[in-house]
Amino acid sequence: MKERLSINSNLVVLAVLLVVAGLASPYFWTIENIVNLIRVTSLIGIIAVGMNVVIISGGIDLSVGSVVALVGTLAASLATAGYPLGIVVLVPIAAALVAGLVNGSLVALLGFQPFVATLVTMTVFRGSGLVYSAGQPIYADYPAFIAFLARGTFGGVPAPAVLFFAIVLVTWYVMRFRAIGRMIYMVGANEKAAYYGGVSVWRVKLFTYVYCAALAGIAGLILTARMGSGEPGQAGVLYELDAIAAVVIGGTALQGGRGSVWGALVGALVIGVMSNLFNLLGVAPEWQNVSKGAVILAAVIMAGAGPFIGAIFARRASNG
Amino acid sequence: MVNRTNGQSTHLKAVPKGEPAVLLTMAGISKSYPGVKALSDVGLQVRAGEILSLVGENGAGKSTMMKILAGAVKPDAGTISIDGKPVELSDTSVAHRMGISTIYQELMLVPHLSVVENLFLGNLVRNRWGLLDWKDMCARAVEIMRDLGYPGSIDVAIRDLSVAEQQLVEIGKAITRPCRLLIMDEPTAPLNREEVEHFFKIVRKLQKAGTSIIFITHHLNEIFEVCDRVVVLRDGQMVGESDVAHLSESQLVEMMLGRKLSLEKREWDRGVAPDADVVLEVDGLSTEELLKNVSFRLRKGEVLGLAGLMGSGRTEILRNIFGVDKPSAGTIRAEGKRAMFSGPRQALEGGIGLGPEDRKSDGLILSMPIRHNVTLSSLARYAGPLALRRGREVAAVKDLCQRLQVKYSSTEVPVGKLSGGNQQKVILARLLDAKVDIFLLDEPTRGIDVGAKGAIFDLIRQLAANGASVIIVSSVIEELVHVCDRIICLNLGRVTGEQARAQFDMAEIMINVMGGHSEAPQARVGDAR
Ligand SMILES: Nc1ncnc2c1ncn2[C@@H]1O[C@H](COP(=O)(O)OP(=O)(O)OP(=O)(O)O)[C@@H](O)[C@H]1O
Ligand SMILES: [Mg+2]
């Protein structure tokens, strides 16, 4: 019930934002802008869905932006070297999975704090992309399929949006109906009790980091396709913050054990609408960040504070 | 004895002359949670300087009633007055100011802070510069804790104290501020007999100093030992009150349960043949800190008790078998095969399940529904080709909750919302659902009411009769004597004695638990706790 409540208050935030955006810019509700908005939101949304899974399990993944850059760089260089489509798609995705395995192993097997582990891999992954390309962007002439990922449409709906929605549905199904989803919630809510109850905690954690990295990899492919280049240094910078913000606006508790993929969807839309509106209004990038922070704070207070305060009271009054 | 079953308890009579003054009156108190009426129209009087016991089955509403007095929960209806004047206990700080101190069912101390810091947390003493006056606080802490008979230093962190010592700190904390009414929700549940004795001394001392006390317990003998009066709740209604002096144990039980419960100890068919298969073999088990060369065998269909004080190694033995701790020496074999499990998952796959002692941190995922908690260890069984089979899960959980007499409104309620005793039953339900062959139960009856306790013992014997084996750890030796086929006594990590059912002897067990014949036994053996 609590979950549904917080989603509702996110929806209110989103609705208010949409109304304000429409009033502020006459251009906002044009087909062209909405399609563009959805395109941009899908990218952050796909990453936020993976981040949401990690955060529900009680972790965090700061390396998603670097995975986006690494995947783009690999794909661009493979495409430029003339490899067939399968290789151009699968090798970068495999690299993303390896990145997820590295994150997961550091956290689940070696016991590093998720924040520390993924802060380290954030620099390592970006660094390896830069080393691989000698620090230079790689311009690529992508095969049609990859270009379609970024620019194509299904009956007017942008391809990335379709992909995003498919990912939301799959994740919803996994988290809600599969045993692994159940265990992700249990581990996030009380890792020790889950362990005593026979849950293989390390496997669950490993799964969440690999899942998150895989989605970041897909986002990386979309981004590089859109830009027509692999940008080892520039792509995906600060994406982790947008993704985390989307998750938090979506009502997922950073301490884990609670949250839903629909929240992440709404959260991503809030972030997307905000960036879009700032661009329409021509707000300078530095002011964009400042005001984005303010709006995120407001959204978190509206969406997250209710349950949070409730939890404090529940704890105080709990008779265990 | 007044016996009220029709909820007309609102209008308590004026106190006749000669009886002590009334300190506090609660009238017409009601409180509902979604799907549960926790309290309906309950009234209660506390007289100055009395020890009042509040009793009732698990989920009867005792803790809710006390949380209302503590200002932690708001009632839906009803009035509270102190010294005849109506008060509004809108917050815990208001209750504190009125002189009401509460020790909750779960200890609320901060583990990594010291004794003195915990004592004054939320009630810090400042000097005239507005700075914390640690000198004064330490001096007062030393005095308070000495009066409570606490032997240690006030600078030790709480997590390094035994539960009994922590309990003393809780009391100390309650009396750092002027306290007219002290509420204690199941304070004796984790204590052993000696600790309870000491605890009662302190309670009587507080009473002499004029403090009124409300004391909740599921150990009925404790009521007859220290309490003046008892108020009985059943299903959120006040069903009776009486002076303890005019009451027998069976009358009390009848009031609580609404039916007679034979207090005769049940005798079960005990089917363990002396030559039954050995299912678990522990050989020379030792750990760095505590256990020293512990060896024993467990047979098919046997119920084995581990008796010992806090820190005797009883919990450690279970943890080592279950694979959450690793022994430094020794071997464990299950069904003749080496069974040094690397963790709970492997142990459960090997047919061994543990019901841990600390239900809040190890046993349950409080924010998750009853259903998720019950099926946690057996989730694989409910996995269909596409999705978890929710219908099957719900049916299984309902069935188990009924067998264990869990009081709940829906299988989807978070376990943390159940009453303490009902949470304990959910842990048992999970083990049953995991269908293990060997049950390791650490304090399985802690906080469980008399009626349900009997049901749980019946269940344990029934499991044994069906070929399962059980190891039980309990602080209450009478319970072990009641239900076990064999008891092993532990002291400071060593086995100090072993008795089969035919030779059970409380005195002997107590002596062994205290360290054996070499040390002069201090234990007073006799009436049941
Ligand atoms: N926060 C809550 N939300 C929902 N239901 C609650 C909550 N707190 C208590 N209840 C319900 O109210 C009823 C009374 O609970 P309470 O904790 O007062 O029982 P109790 O008499 O203390 O039992 P026990 O002996 O097991 O500690 C129970 O059915 C419980 O499930
Ligand atoms: Mg209680």
Side-chain angles (χ1 to χ4, degrees):
Chain A
M1 204 171 80
K2 215 177 258 170
E3 218 167 82
R4 197 167 311 147
L5 249 178
S6 63
I7 287 177
N8 283 346
S9 51
N10 305 326
L11 282 175
V12 171
V13 171
L14 182 61
V16 168
L17 210 55
L18 287 176
V19 169
V20 169
L23 293 177
S25 164
Y27 185 66
F28 182 82
W29 283 113
T30 58
I31 302 270
E32 197 189 343
N33 185 54
I34 293 300
V35 167
N36 181 38
L37 167 68
I38 291 176
R39 223 184 271 282
V40 175
T41 302
S42 304
L43 201 67
I44 281 303
I46 290 172
I47 298 173
V49 166
M51 183 71 79
N52 197 42
V53 170
V54 172
I55 289 180
I56 288 173
S57 80
I60 199 156
D61 186 352
L62 301 180
S63 72
V64 285
S66 301
V67 171
V68 165
L70 182 61
V71 162
T73 308
L74 280 177
S77 86
L78 292 171
T80 311
Y83 283 99
L85 174 68
I87 302 275
V88 176
V89 171
L90 291 183
V91 169
I93 293 294
L97 293 178
V98 169
L101 276 175
V102 170
N103 284 335
S105 308
L106 286 174
V107 173
L109 299 177
L110 300 176
F112 284 96
Q113 287 289 327
F115 189 91
V116 175
T118 58
L119 189 65
V120 169
T121 57
M122 173 168 107
T123 44
V124 171
F125 295 158
R126 189 171 292 281
S128 9
L130 285 165
V131 169
Y132 175 78
S133 71
Q136 296 304 314
I138 300 170
Y139 297 96
D141 200 7
Y142 279 118
F145 172 75
I146 296 187
F148 179 80
L149 269 187
R151 300 201 194 87
T153 57
F154 291 96
V157 183
V162 173
L163 200 55
F164 174 36
F165 202 67
I167 285 171
V168 166
L169 281 180
V170 168
T171 308
W172 173 71
Y173 165 71
V174 168
M175 293 299 281
R176 180 135 166 95
F177 295 104
R178 305 291 306 186
I180 180 74
R182 170 84 59 87
M183 290 192 276
I184 289 171
Y185 279 102
M186 301 299 254
V187 167
N190 184 346
E191 183 177 332
K192 207 165 157 206
Y195 171 70
Y196 274 75
V199 173
S200 177
V201 173
W202 70 267
R203 275 191 227 178
V204 169
K205 287 189 177 172
L206 200 63
F207 175 88
T208 63
Y209 286 97
V210 172
Y211 194 79
C212 180
L215 295 193
I218 292 174
L221 277 184
I222 296 174
L223 182 65
T224 185
R226 185 159 79 208
M227 297 195 305
S229 68
E231 306 268 351
Q234 299 305 313
V237 171
L238 290 185
Y239 275 22
E240 65 282 350
L241 291 189
D242 277 352
I244 293 170
V247 166
V248 172
I249 292 171
T252 296
L254 277 180
Q255 63 267 30
R258 190 151 45 81
S260 98
V261 64
W262 303 110
L265 171 72
V266 174
L269 282 170
V270 168
I271 299 273
V273 170
M274 235 158 35
S275 315
N276 178 265
L277 180 63
F278 289 149
N279 285 336
L280 288 182
L281 298 179
V283 178
E286 51 275 23
W287 281 107
Q288 282 200 16
N289 282 340
V290 173
S291 24
K292 210 156 133 188
V295 176
I296 290 171
L297 193 65
V300 168
I301 288 171
M302 271 190 76
F308 180 65
I309 293 170
I312 291 178
F313 275 101
R315 190 158 316 151
R316 212 196 299 170
S318 86
N319 130 349
Chain B
M1 189 170 98
V2 201
N3 218 327
R4 279 186 282 232
T5 33
N6 47 9
Q8 297 189 339
S9 48
T10 357
H11 311 290
L12 288 168
K13 293 167 295 230
V15 186
K17 277 208 174 65
E19 286 196 32
V22 171
L23 170 69
L24 175 135
T25 308
M26 298 172 89
I29 302 281
S30 297
K31 174 76 194 175
S32 294
Y33 291 107
V36 200
K37 192 129 187 115
L39 293 171
S40 46
D41 197 19
V42 178
L44 176 76
Q45 276 194 339
V46 185
R47 298 173 190 160
E50 79 169 339
I51 305 182
L52 173 68
S53 180
L54 193 58
V55 297
E57 290 176 281
N58 295 129
K62 306 180 293 294
S63 298
T64 306
M65 190 88 171
M66 295 304 101
K67 283 184 218 161
I68 289 172
L69 269 188
V73 166
K74 263 208 176 58
D76 301 336
T79 57
I80 300 173
S81 50
I82 295 178
D83 297 328
K85 285 187 281 295
V87 292
E88 175 110 21
L89 300 174
S90 49
D91 192 345
T92 50
S93 61
V94 177
H96 286 154
R97 245 178 288 132
M98 299 282 171
I100 301 174
S101 290
T102 308
I103 301 177
Y104 294 94
Q105 192 163 0
E106 313 281 339
L107 296 183
M108 293 288 191
L109 301 171
V110 186
H112 59 268
L113 293 184
S114 71
V115 172
V116 56
E117 285 164 331
N118 268 286
L119 280 181
F120 288 96
L121 201 71
N123 189 27
L124 293 163
V125 179
R126 291 174 193 278
N127 61 20
R128 64 193 141 124
W129 310 110
L131 300 174
L132 295 184
D133 192 345
W134 283 114
K135 215 170 127 196
D136 181 57
M137 283 190 270
C138 287
R140 281 177 57 192
V142 168
E143 196 186 312
I144 289 169
M145 293 314 291
R146 194 192 48 216
D147 285 353
L148 294 177
Y150 165 79
S153 148
I154 58 162
D155 296 318
V156 201
I158 291 297
R159 58 163 172 250
D160 297 329
L161 299 182
S162 74
V163 182
E165 288 166 334
Q166 292 184 16
Q167 196 66 260
L168 292 181
V169 178
E170 278 276 14
I171 299 175
K173 187 175 165 189
I175 60 179
T176 52
R177 38 174 99 79
C179 170
R180 300 182 66 196
L181 173 62
L182 177 58
I183 297 167
M184 298 189 284
D185 198 348
E186 299 194 33
T188 54
L191 304 186
N192 68 40
R193 188 198 304 242
E194 281 66 39
E195 292 161 343
V196 171
E197 294 291 331
H198 179 72
F199 176 79
F200 283 165
K201 268 195 210 121
I202 291 159
V203 169
R204 290 201 190 90
K205 208 153 128 191
L206 288 172
Q207 181 193 23
K208 281 221 184 70
T211 314
S212 303
I213 291 163
I214 301 181
F215 172 48
I216 297 178
T217 181
H218 286 295
H219 298 289
L220 301 186
N221 60 301
E222 294 176 355
I223 296 169
F224 294 94
E225 205 171 327
V226 286
C227 297
D228 303 313
R229 223 155 51 84
V230 43
V231 166
V232 185
L233 293 182
R234 192 197 313 146
D235 288 332
Q237 298 193 328
M238 205 254 227
V239 292
E241 59 175 317
S242 168
D243 283 342
V244 168
H246 304 145
L247 196 66
S248 74
E249 188 159 331
S250 58
Q251 280 173 316
L252 181 57
V253 171
E254 198 181 329
M255 267 204 276
M256 275 175 68
L257 306 185
R259 62 187 155 90
K260 275 202 177 12
L261 179 82
S262 94
L263 286 178
E264 300 288 293
K265 298 279 156 118
R266 286 262 315 255
E267 266 311 321
W268 298 279
D269 274 350
R270 290 175 195 268
V272 223
D275 57 347
D277 293 347
V278 173
V279 290
L280 189 76
E281 225 177 319
V282 174
D283 227 336
L285 186 70
S286 303
T287 59
E288 311 262 288
E289 303 84 35
L290 191 57
L291 298 181
K292 294 180 198 72
N293 202 13
V294 172
S295 304
F296 62 87
R297 275 162 184 46
L298 178 70
R299 291 183 187 280
K300 191 172 162 67
E302 185 179 34
V303 180
L304 172 66
L306 297 183
L309 303 179
M310 195 73 60
S312 61
R314 38 184 211 182
T315 295
E316 283 72 10
I317 292 176
L318 300 191
R319 290 171 58 89
N320 276 281
I321 297 172
F322 194 53
V324 284
D325 287 344
K326 308 282 174 290
S328 58
T331 53
I332 300 167
R333 300 166 152 278
E335 313 267 346
K337 285 194 291 287
R338 218 177 117 83
M340 311 291 278
F341 297 114
S342 58
R345 188 181 152 82
Q346 290 72 20
L348 284 160
E349 276 164 6
I352 298 182
L354 169 75
E357 181 180 21
D358 187 338
R359 61 174 173 245
K360 209 169 158 185
S361 84
D362 307 342
L364 293 170
I365 302 172
L366 295 178
S367 60
M368 291 286 160
I370 301 174
R371 172 165 61 94
H372 294 20
N373 274 280
V374 171
T375 59
L376 180 62
S377 303
S378 43
L379 206 52
R381 265 214 335 270
Y382 297 99
L386 286 177
L388 287 170
R389 293 200 168 95
R390 187 188 158 126
R392 246 193 235 185
E393 243 185 312
V394 171
V397 172
K398 280 190 171 155
D399 178 51
L400 284 165
C401 286
Q402 196 186 355
R403 263 171 84 189
L404 290 165
Q405 305 179 5
V406 180
K407 192 183 169 211
Y408 70 108
S409 54
S410 145
T411 57
E412 308 307 304
V413 171
V415 147
K417 304 235 154 134
L418 293 182
S419 78
N422 284 305
Q423 292 180 13
Q424 190 69 38
K425 295 177 204 164
V426 170
I427 296 184
L428 281 176
R430 174 193 307 158
L431 287 183
L432 290 179
D433 201 49
K435 299 200 175 16
V436 292
D437 307 315
I438 300 177
F439 291 78
L440 310 173
L441 306 178
D442 202 347
E443 301 280 5
T445 58
R446 177 176 293 174
I448 284 188
D449 69 54
V450 270
K453 210 176 258 184
I456 286 176
F457 289 147
D458 282 347
L459 181 90
I460 288 174
R461 289 308 329 181
Q462 190 193 330
L463 289 170
N466 293 338
S469 310
V470 185
I471 303 183
I472 304 184
V473 164
S474 173
S475 300
V476 188
I477 293 174
E478 288 77 3
E479 289 183 8
L480 294 180
V481 167
H482 179 44
V483 77
C484 293
D485 299 312
R486 192 155 55 97
I487 293 178
I488 288 177
C489 300
L490 295 164
N491 180 274
L492 297 177
R494 285 176 207 282
V495 174
T496 50
E498 178 178 334
Q499 294 180 7
R501 178 145 199 103
Q503 317 132 20
F504 277 175
D505 174 5
M506 283 289 297
E508 186 69 20
I509 293 172
M510 285 306 295
I511 290 170
N512 287 333
V513 160
M514 301 302 286
H517 286 282
S518 50
E519 289 163 42
Q522 299 281 309
R524 193 174 62 88
V525 181
D527 50 358
R529 189 188 139 192

